[in-house]
Amino acid sequence: MPRHRPWSLALVFCFALLMSCRQAPKPTKAFNPNAPVDLRITEEPFEAQAALSRRMSILTAYLQRTTGLNVRYVPSINYVHSYALLERGEVDLVFVGIYGGHRLLDALPNAIPLVVQKPSYRLVMLGRRRWTEELSAESTPSLDLVQGRRVGFGSRFSGSTYLQPLLAMQEKGLIPSSIEHCLHEPIQKHLPAHVADGLLDFVFVPSFNGQDDQFIPESLRDELAVVWVGTPRRNDYLVTTDNPEDPSRQDSLRKVQNAFLAMHPSDTQGRQLLESWGYSGWELPTPEFPGAVNQRIDVLLSRPGQLPSCEAA
């Protein structure tokens, strides 16, 4: 079974250190393009690079304004590359879902979650509208419908569109391998088209803003519908590595942590970022998240024979 560190006193102490001088971020002087890079950040590439670059441009400007730090965005080629960048020390921070976070916290002894999204993630299952309209009045669509069906997930390294569906099935007592056929589509926005084209029966997509049908494009709204929706929970967080022997870097991470905790829709850049992610805000990690969630992932991944074997799109 994968090794996982408990929510130990050492980790609590680490957060105490980062929060010891917590204060609201203050505006800083204009950015100096020739200033040395203080921290580097990357993100799992769950959408097109143009969208990632736009968000990271706003984020680095927000962090410079609120912390005075020069934070540089480092694009990643794929999910695994984003994790490798942190493992090799080429970035200091990486945005992850529960799959990537589980992998990094398991692989790196000094990896820690810095901030976690407030509960706003909901798992959504989409299917054909005609099929849902033909259900009898007393029938309630449920997650059981995936058994013996063709199902689409996001990347096999995606927390929101692969691991979360498997955990939801685990909670319902369903065996994920009961799916007849499945497909991995790395670009989440492409998933609904696979149902419309008749390639799949259902696909799993995330909702972070309460709009469960946000992934159904306008051109497909007559064909597709929301079949099932999970309960609100967390999925995403920001991971860094702890190095007490580098007090300057620790101070920079504390400033970044405070800036994320202070991110609010009343601030223009804060609103743009939160809307882009679909989050209501950021909080400190808790024993439940990501700690207890990682323990459930350990159990799930310890039973490889029950996991589905999916093709790549």
Side-chain angles (χ1 to χ4, degrees):
M1 178 175 290
R3 171 187 58 79
H4 253 308
R5 304 188 301 281
W7 191 267
S8 63
L9 290 176
L11 189 53
V12 173
F13 175 77
C14 178
F15 285 117
L17 173 64
L18 290 173
M19 295 301 294
S20 59
C21 301
R22 181 179 175 186
Q23 56 184 352
K26 296 179 180 180
T28 59
K29 295 181 180 179
F31 174 59
N32 177 7
N34 298 318
V37 175
D38 297 296
L39 296 170
R40 290 174 172 81
I41 190 169
T42 192
E43 183 173 18
E44 293 175 334
F46 63 92
E47 57 186 347
Q49 185 57 55
L52 294 170
S53 296
R54 282 194 298 271
R55 178 165 56 249
M56 290 298 105
S57 177
I58 300 172
L59 176 62
T60 53
Y62 169 80
L63 291 175
Q64 191 282 324
R65 176 172 62 85
T66 56
T67 68
L69 298 172
N70 180 11
V71 180
R72 177 173 294 175
Y73 167 52
V74 180
S76 60
I77 300 171
N78 52 41
Y79 281 72
V80 174
H81 183 230
S82 69
Y83 313 145
L85 289 173
L86 185 70
E87 292 169 349
R88 298 196 297 253
E90 296 177 26
V91 298
D92 303 279
L93 299 146
V94 55
F95 287 102
V96 294
I98 59 170
Y99 206 151
H102 174 273
R103 174 172 174 150
L104 286 170
L105 295 182
D106 187 61
L108 298 178
N110 62 336
I112 59 169
L114 193 67
V115 290
V116 302
Q117 66 156 126
K118 292 183 178 180
S120 62
Y121 164 83
R122 298 214 301 180
L123 178 62
V124 177
M125 187 167 74
L126 303 179
R128 282 192 169 275
R129 180 176 296 278
R130 183 179 61 186
W131 184 86
T132 59
E133 291 175 346
E134 290 175 353
L135 288 175
S136 59
E138 59 272 12
S139 298
T140 302
S142 69
L143 201 57
D144 302 54
L145 294 171
V146 299
Q147 296 182 101
R149 298 284 186 168
R150 302 169 301 165
V151 180
F153 300 103
S155 164
R156 67 188 183 94
F157 299 105
S158 170
S160 65
T161 55
Y162 181 52
L163 205 54
Q164 290 278 13
L166 299 188
L167 289 175
M169 294 180 70
Q170 181 189 63
E171 290 177 9
K172 298 289 186 180
L174 304 176
I175 299 176
S177 59
S178 63
I179 293 171
E180 177 186 284
H181 171 78
C182 58
L183 183 76
H184 284 300
E185 169 54 71
I187 304 300
Q188 296 173 359
K189 290 185 178 180
H190 293 173
L191 281 164
H194 292 310
V195 178
D197 293 341
L199 182 63
L200 299 170
D201 298 307
F202 303 108
V203 294
F204 287 104
V205 295
S207 171
F208 285 95
N209 58 10
Q211 185 181 347
D212 298 334
D213 62 353
Q214 68 184 82
F215 269 76
I216 303 178
E218 197 64 37
S219 60
L220 297 179
R221 289 189 175 271
D222 289 339
E223 299 181 53
L224 305 182
V226 173
V227 177
W228 175 87
V229 180
T231 57
R233 59 188 64 195
R234 307 177 198 268
N235 183 74
D236 299 342
Y237 52 108
L238 187 61
V239 172
T240 187
T241 50
D242 179 38
N243 184 7
E245 297 180 357
D246 188 346
S248 176
R249 182 175 179 276
Q250 294 290 91
D251 183 62
S252 294
L253 290 173
R254 174 188 57 80
K255 290 178 180 178
V256 169
Q257 184 184 54
N258 289 339
F260 271 90
L261 295 174
M263 196 178 290
H264 192 270
S266 62
D267 175 82
T268 300
Q269 289 176 325
R271 182 180 68 255
Q272 291 174 326
L273 289 167
L274 292 173
E275 288 179 351
S276 175
W277 284 308
Y279 304 159
S280 56
W282 295 90
E283 297 177 331
L284 290 175
T286 68
E288 172 60 30
F289 191 90
V293 172
N294 279 335
Q295 293 174 8
R296 292 177 52 214
I297 295 173
D298 283 341
V299 173
L300 177 70
L301 299 183
S302 70
R303 302 166 180 169
Q306 295 186 7
L307 299 179
S309 179
C310 307
E311 297 179 3

